[in-house]
């Protein structure tokens, strides 16, 4: 028998942004499809019309696109598929797998309370099961017939054998009295229509699976493989909270994390491959499998994300690094950053000293701003621009004007010569005032390299200006 094409799906509700937990689900579904040369389907579960707007959908898609999780089909939208759901309910009614129920909400509630008061557990008591209500029975819902001894089991690709007996589920509603489909019906009809072979989703949906299996059977469809992913928890071990934890993929993007780093970090939250820690999307696409997904909750350790980000910053080639930092630099300086001379060299020096692109931009800002617009850190000025620095800076500016070639090594020679000619003060006595003069702050990469990335005239101008400002 030819093996079936793997088809997975990601089925987000349009929440306006991509939650990191959902992003991990999407990543695993995507990677599984890629690994098996299958198809990755995107479906928007937008039946809650009030919360579903174009903008709320766009927010989710934007997050996926940024991560590089491209889908092959869709987006399908549940809001555009109500006829398919109506059809399925009609088929269930026609085959006798579902029936009309005229119990009112008040009646049901009263019976439920009575059952609970008597110490029982409520599932629908079957009152309308054999009533054979026809279409003209007045306001009614439609319920799926679930036999008490139905074994609604599945072999979960992550958790192993799981399941519930029909008695625990009862005859549940699939169509409301207003004619709209219930969520579980929509999901199953979609997954059947979209020929999904592997349903990979968050563990919070495990409670739906037994009933969904009853629906597959009633609709005469084969079951997909179910894989429930353990939830993500925060560093405290508690469920991630929107209030307490950074959970939006877009927020990480805006903070200057690389999408490659985000994917590698997400992959490691619950999946492993030997001792490896860093994975590109291509690697995930060839290595990912469900066998290596763990059963315990994935702990979102944000320090590890910083570490991943540094790994990927180190891997970018120079042009790419420039392209990625550029928008952050433009935001930080409020000016267009085309090709400031020295900028690329400075970014090389900053690669290992930066946590994020935003952080790198903040450390490169000094080179991009005009010489007379350099912001000076008042503390650094007070500490390092003391009167004894004045002649040192003036002498260095003169020496640098002559230095040949304009390299870190030759610049170091000029520093040494100025110190030797001025009573041999410690290197810090010269280097720190120069740092403040060039960058406005007391921290930068190595001083000779820092001087060398600036074009000579600008370095000399900044140092000479500092000498003049010191009283
Ligand atoms: N729409 C659901 C969610 O956003 C996913 C449902 C499913 O994967 O079956 O959590």
């Amino acid at each position: 028998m030819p093996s079936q094409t793997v088809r997975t799906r990601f089925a987000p509700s349009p929440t306006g942004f991509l939650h990191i937990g959902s992003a991990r689900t999407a990543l695993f579904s995507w990677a599984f499809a890629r690994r098996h040369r299958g198809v990755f389907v995107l479906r928007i579960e937008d039946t809650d019309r009030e919360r579903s707007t174009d903008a709320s959908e766009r927010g989710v898609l934007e997050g996926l696109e940024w991560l590089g999780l491209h889908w092959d089909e869709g987006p399908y939208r549940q809001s555009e598929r109500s006829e398919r759901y109506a059809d399925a309910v009609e088929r269930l009614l026609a085959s006798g797998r579902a029936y009309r129920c005229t119990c009112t909400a008040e009646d049901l509630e009263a019976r439920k309370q009575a059952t609970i008061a008597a110490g029982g557990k409520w599932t629908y008591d079957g009152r309308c099961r054999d009533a054979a209500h026809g279409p003209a029975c007045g306001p009614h819902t439609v319920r799926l017939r679930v036999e008490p001894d139905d074994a609604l089991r599945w072999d979960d690709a992550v958790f192993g054998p799981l399941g519930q007996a029909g008695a625990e589920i009862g005859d549940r509603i699939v169509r409301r009295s207003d004619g709209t489909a219930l969520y579980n019906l929509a999901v199953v009809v979609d997954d059947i229509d979209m020929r999904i072979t592997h349903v990979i989703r968050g563990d919070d949906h495990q409670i739906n699976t037994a009933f969904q299996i009853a629906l597959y059977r009633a609709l005469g469809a084969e079951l997909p493989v179910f894989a429930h992913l353990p939830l993500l928890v925060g560093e405290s071990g508690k469920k991630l909270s929107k209030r307490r934890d950074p959970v939006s993929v877009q927020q990480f993007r805006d903070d200057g994390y690389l999408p490659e780093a985000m994917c590698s970090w997400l992959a490691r939250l619950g999946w492993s491959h030997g001792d490896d820690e860093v994975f590109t999307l291509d690697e995930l696409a060839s290595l990912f499998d469900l066998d290596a997904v763990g059963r315990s909750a994935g702990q979102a350790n944000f320090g590890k994300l910083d570490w991943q980000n540094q790994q990927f910053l180190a891997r970018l080639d120079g042009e790419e690094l420039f392209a990625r930092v550029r928008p952050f630099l433009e935001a930080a300086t409020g000016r267009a950053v085309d090709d400031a001379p020295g900028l690329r060299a400075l970014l090389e020096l900053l690669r290992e000293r930066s946590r994020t692109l935003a952080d790198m931009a903040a450390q490169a800002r000094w080179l991009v701003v005009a010489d007379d617009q350099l912001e000076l850190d008042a503390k650094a000025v007070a500490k390092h621009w003391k009167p004894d620095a004045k002649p040192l800076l003036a002498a260095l500016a003169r020496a640098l004007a002559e230095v040949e070639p304009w390299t870190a090594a030759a610049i170091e020679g000029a520093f040494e010569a100025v110190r030797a000619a001025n009573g041999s003060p410690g290197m810090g006595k010269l280097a720190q005032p120069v740092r403040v003069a060039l960058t406005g702050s007391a921290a930068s990469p190595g001083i000779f390299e820092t001087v060398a990335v600036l074009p000579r005239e600008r370095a000399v101008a900044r140092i000479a200006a500092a000498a003049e400002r010191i009283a």
Side-chain angles (χ1 to χ4, degrees), residues 103-118 122 125 127:
C103 296
T104 63
E106 296 74 47
D107 279 352
L108 287 169
E109 187 56 28
R111 272 140 61 197
K112 176 177 171 184
Q113 290 313 328
T115 308
I116 291 170
W122 169 259
D125 54 12
R127 184 166 294 184

Side-chain angles (χ1 to χ4, degrees), residues 9-13 22 25 43 45 183 187 191 199-202 204-205 208 212:
R9 69 353 181 237
F10 175 53
S13 310
S22 303
T25 302
R43 173 171 86 228
E45 304 209 317
Y183 174 71
V187 169
D191 284 338
V199 169
I200 300 170
R201 63 184 170 201
D204 48 336
H205 288 283
N208 292 322
Q212 291 184 1

